[in-house]
Amino acid sequence: MSAPADPPAELLDLRASIDNIDAALVYLLAERFRCTQRVGHLKAQQGLPPADPDREAQQIARLRALAESADLDPAFAEKFLAFVVEEVIRHHRAIADQEG
Ligand SMILES: C=C(O[C@@H]1C=C(C(=O)O)C=C[C@H]1O)C(=O)O
């Protein structure tokens, strides 16, 4: 079934909010990666490993609790964090290879 030619006003309104939220997520992620890139350089300088499983365990516990209180599926919150952190660690390994 294709999308209607003239979508209802409520759908358009909701989609406008979704677009704003997606834009905010992109800016928030960009800012997070700006921080994690700096962490990657600090770790390479100090000879610290790219991944920190203890820190990740704390973040998972915190985000799962926040998700529950926000009525968001905690399993989804954990998967999302893992997806982002995996990319961060990939960047940290690349920085360590270049600078270490
Ligand atoms: C950013 C760090 O490096 C890695 C990435 C993390 C993250 O993206 O939050 C957390 C822990 C580390 O595995 C860090 O150690 O703080």
Side-chain angles (χ1 to χ4, degrees):
M1 197 166 72
S2 62
D6 189 12
E10 189 179 4
L11 177 58
L12 293 176
D13 185 46
L14 289 167
R15 284 181 174 171
S17 286
I18 290 166
D19 286 347
N20 284 345
I21 292 164
D22 287 348
L25 285 174
V26 166
Y27 282 119
L28 288 171
L29 278 171
E31 205 55 29
R32 191 184 198 282
F33 274 95
R34 261 167 39 88
C35 294
T36 56
Q37 284 298 98
R38 289 180 60 187
V39 170
H41 288 287
L42 279 174
K43 285 180 169 178
Q45 283 162 15
Q46 309 277 326
L48 294 168
D52 184 338
D54 290 344
R55 161 79 174 149
E56 290 171 33
Q58 289 166 3
Q59 288 168 289
I60 290 166
R62 177 170 175 268
L63 276 201
R64 287 188 67 100
L66 285 173
E68 270 173 39
S69 69
D71 207 17
L72 178 72
D73 180 1
F76 170 76
E78 181 171 347
K79 266 194 285 183
F80 178 73
L81 181 71
F83 179 68
V84 173
V85 170
E86 185 187 355
E87 181 69 4
V88 171
I89 291 169
R90 199 176 65 76
H91 292 181
H92 286 188
R93 291 204 175 106
I95 293 168
D97 285 348
Q98 282 160 18
E99 297 179 10

